[in-house]
Amino acid sequence: MTLTSLAGGVRIPHQSSGLTQRLFELARNIDRYDTGFGLNGLTLLAVYRHRLSQRAEDLALAQDLCLRAVEGIMNPDRTVPSSLIEISEIAQFLAQHAGELELSETVAPLREVLHQILVKRMTACFDRKEIDPYTGGFQPAWYLLRNGPDARPYLKAWLAALPSVEALEGRHEDGSYLLPSGLSHGLAFYALFVCAVVERYPDLRAFQRRGRAYLGVLWRRSVSARRYGCYYLEGKNSGPGRLCLAYGDMGILYAGLRLSLQLGVTDDVNFFTNALRYTAGRRTAETTAITNNSLLYGRSGSWLFFDHLARLTGSSKFSDTAAFWRDEALAHFDDQQEIEGFDHYDYPAMQRVSLFEGPAGPLLVDLALKTNPQALQSIFYLL
């Protein structure tokens, strides 16, 4: 059976996808194991295929890929020690998917080991003042907040590690901020982290105060979209700031909207909603710097984001924008494209096959929206 979506006359195959079969063939040469850029991204694709098909062979494939990633990060003879990102994202994946993969009992002891490793590494990162959301202490902190049984033992350390307003005002000599604004490495993540803490523990006034302070910083960092074509100038590429989730207006404005909704700050809700409505009208390469189908920088990420925003707000403006990016992604999708093989998983290989930068974005978003997109949305901190 082939299950399809239709947009602009383009058919998206799932069970018979030539692209996914080629990606799964190449998986045997991937020796990086995180979700965004490594083997586990293909595991997520396999999980979503099984969710839709419920076929035994799809389950077996997803189980095999998952266990290979697990074995990879735990291999004591590995040439390069497992990175914090790999350990954290595998732990996150197991928390979300071990049950549906029928692996809960198999991986239960490992999950406890990973939990302890992440607590230790988080503490060590904070001691060294390494707070980058992707490579530093807040990588495991996000996992512990979203998946741990009780995050209260870590709250004091998290509040101390979060950047102060003064630190967020610091600039380089060229005028750019010392700490960026984008979701992947900067202020937008910290705002969403505080939002998630307050959502889980509504009584924490210190985090509420920090959240309101971060909203103020987001206001001050914004510029006139009418003048500059965007609200945040970071990551600009021969034009206005990028639209993309990772570094651009989508992720930054979403963080402001989500935090202001959580804190009940009406003026900020209105500002970020209106800014996102303006941003939804940016649809050309010149105004978005979007030129490919990738999840991290391209059309697939915009499709996923605006669909989530439409569900969050109920706005037809955002559902129409999601439909636009869906049609654009599918119009540029080629299920029969050739993907060059590789013996060494270097950056060019990563660009060809990884979840974040590879060509499977439309397939994965289509599958996620047909079933339950929460696991895919959570990779981008979409609360």
Side-chain angles (χ1 to χ4, degrees):
M1 176 177 65
T2 300
L3 299 167
T4 66
S5 286
L6 295 176
V10 178
R11 296 176 65 84
I12 292 290
H14 290 305
Q15 305 313 318
S16 62
S17 168
L19 175 61
T20 52
Q21 292 304 323
R22 178 57 174 159
L23 291 173
F24 293 144
E25 289 172 5
L26 294 172
R28 62 181 178 272
N29 291 331
I30 299 177
D31 59 359
R32 174 172 170 163
Y33 302 106
D34 57 309
T35 303
F37 295 103
L39 176 62
N40 211 49
L42 297 185
T43 310
L44 185 61
L45 179 59
V47 166
Y48 272 116
R49 288 180 82 231
H50 174 254
R51 280 187 181 180
L52 195 60
S53 74
Q54 293 298 301
R55 300 195 316 175
E57 52 265 48
D58 289 335
L59 174 61
L61 174 63
Q63 289 172 328
D64 177 65
L65 292 172
C66 176
L67 292 174
R68 286 170 59 187
V70 166
E71 291 168 359
I73 65 166
M74 300 305 293
N75 181 5
D77 299 322
R78 189 177 179 191
T79 304
V80 179
S82 295
S83 68
L84 180 59
I85 297 165
E86 289 175 309
I87 297 170
S88 179
E89 292 191 348
I90 290 291
Q92 174 90 6
F93 181 89
L94 294 176
Q96 293 177 324
H97 304 293
E100 67 180 299
L101 293 181
E102 301 175 9
L103 294 173
S104 294
E105 292 186 10
T106 302
V107 302
L110 172 67
R111 288 188 61 194
E112 180 57 31
V113 170
L114 294 179
H115 181 94
Q116 296 303 324
I117 291 174
L118 289 171
V119 171
K120 291 179 180 178
R121 290 208 179 184
M122 177 185 72
T123 302
C125 283
F126 287 160
D127 287 344
R128 297 191 297 267
K129 310 299 183 185
E130 296 173 359
I131 64 169
D132 185 274
Y134 190 62
T135 61
F138 280 101
Q139 172 69 229
W142 181 262
Y143 163 78
L144 294 168
L145 173 60
R146 302 298 287 173
N147 300 283
D150 183 12
R152 285 186 182 272
Y154 315 116
L155 292 174
K156 183 177 180 180
W158 291 345
L159 187 62
L162 283 165
S164 66
V165 170
E166 291 74 20
L168 290 167
E169 301 290 1
R171 295 175 182 259
H172 294 285
E173 290 184 1
D174 63 2
S176 62
Y177 289 103
L178 293 172
L179 291 173
S181 301
L183 186 57
S184 287
H185 300 283
L187 172 59
F189 169 85
Y190 301 123
L192 282 173
F193 186 86
V194 169
C195 179
V197 171
V198 175
E199 183 179 55
R200 185 169 181 181
Y201 303 108
D203 59 324
L204 298 177
R205 294 185 179 180
F207 279 92
Q208 294 172 12
R209 289 193 294 270
R210 185 64 61 92
R212 289 187 174 88
Y214 283 176
L215 287 173
V217 178
L218 283 166
W219 267 86
R220 291 192 293 276
R221 286 193 177 195
S222 65
V223 298
S224 168
R226 181 168 296 180
R227 177 179 177 183
Y228 293 100
C230 64
Y231 288 90
Y232 295 91
L233 293 172
E234 294 176 21
K236 60 183 179 180
N237 182 13
S238 300
R242 298 164 89 175
L243 186 73
C244 72
L245 268 173
Y247 305 114
D249 274 7
M250 282 195 301
I252 303 170
L253 293 170
Y254 175 79
L257 174 63
R258 192 64 181 80
L259 180 57
S260 58
L261 283 168
Q262 184 64 44
L263 296 175
V265 184
T266 303
D267 288 346
D268 287 355
V269 170
N270 292 336
F271 170 77
F272 289 110
T273 299
N274 290 333
L276 282 162
R277 291 180 65 84
Y278 172 88
T279 300
R282 294 167 54 190
R283 299 183 178 184
T284 67
E286 291 73 24
T287 60
T288 64
I290 290 178
T291 58
N292 62 38
N293 265 0
S294 74
L295 270 170
L296 196 59
Y297 310 118
R299 304 178 190 100
S300 298
S302 298
W303 174 13
L304 179 71
F305 172 75
F306 281 107
D307 180 90
H308 176 68
L309 195 58
R311 295 169 192 256
L312 178 68
T313 63
S315 169
S316 60
K317 173 75 170 181
F318 299 136
S319 60
D320 289 346
T321 305
F324 169 82
W325 287 112
R326 176 201 65 203
D327 291 352
E328 285 292 298
L330 300 188
H332 290 86
F333 177 75
D334 178 9
D335 188 61
Q336 301 303 316
Q337 66 181 285
E338 295 184 6
I339 303 178
E340 183 181 350
F342 52 88
D343 296 321
H344 176 60
Y345 193 58
D346 54 12
Y347 184 63
M350 189 186 302
Q351 289 179 300
R352 295 198 292 274
V353 304
S354 71
L355 175 71
F356 278 175
E357 296 198 41
L363 279 168
L364 187 57
V365 174
D366 189 56
L367 283 166
L369 296 181
K370 274 179 158 53
T371 53
N372 183 345
Q374 184 176 1
L376 183 57
Q377 292 165 347
S378 69
I379 294 173
F380 298 102
Y381 315 116
L382 298 180
L383 301 170

